[in-house]
Amino acid sequence: MAARPQIDKITLSYLRFQSPKENRGNVITFLLLFMDLFGVLPIIAEPFSYPYFIAAVIPAVIIHIWAILYIIAPYKLEQSYYLFMGVYAVVNTYVYFLVTQKLLYLHIGITSSMPFVIGLLFFIPH
């Protein structure tokens, strides 16, 4: 019978999942800091644009509703946490994309469609 190979401590640290208590803290931090402060707040800032607001707030509200479950019952939903974080990352990237487009078109006053096309190419994964 062959001996099992030993796993070094660094590799083992990558294989260890976070505890549900850490998951709850991550959800709260990521939503309040990265989604709300850096994403939604610039969308609702002056000059206000209703189309940008609707396009950003609908996915943000959906991800917030989903996050409430991880704040209330992190132990019960421990296995689906990484799925949530993946969807959160996509939604957060989309909201940041909208923030950059709003800054370019409403604050700076760019009239060309080229920044939108370039931003869209960077937004869509290759």
Side-chain angles (χ1 to χ4, degrees), residues 53-73:
F53 176 74
I54 292 298
V57 167
I58 290 174
V61 166
I62 291 170
I63 205 77
H64 275 80
I65 291 170
W66 191 5
I68 290 171
L69 299 173
Y70 291 98
I71 294 170
I72 293 172

Side-chain angles (χ1 to χ4, degrees), residues 5-17:
Q6 294 292 328
I7 300 176
D8 61 311
K9 290 182 180 182
I10 295 173
T11 306
L12 192 59
S13 71
Y14 285 111
L15 297 175
R16 186 185 69 83
F17 289 127

Side-chain angles (χ1 to χ4, degrees), residues 17-74:
F17 289 127
Q18 296 175 346
S19 70
K21 188 175 181 180
E22 291 172 321
N23 294 349
R24 177 188 288 160
N26 287 344
V27 167
I28 293 170
T29 303
F30 288 147
L31 281 177
L32 292 179
L33 183 65
F34 295 115
M35 176 72 78
D36 293 339
L37 187 64
F38 298 145
V40 176
L41 187 62
I43 291 291
I44 61 175
E46 287 292 328
F48 183 77
S49 173
Y50 189 71
Y52 284 108
F53 176 74
I54 292 298
V57 167
I58 290 174
V61 166
I62 291 170
I63 205 77
H64 275 80
I65 291 170
W66 191 5
I68 290 171
L69 299 173
Y70 291 98
I71 294 170
I72 293 172

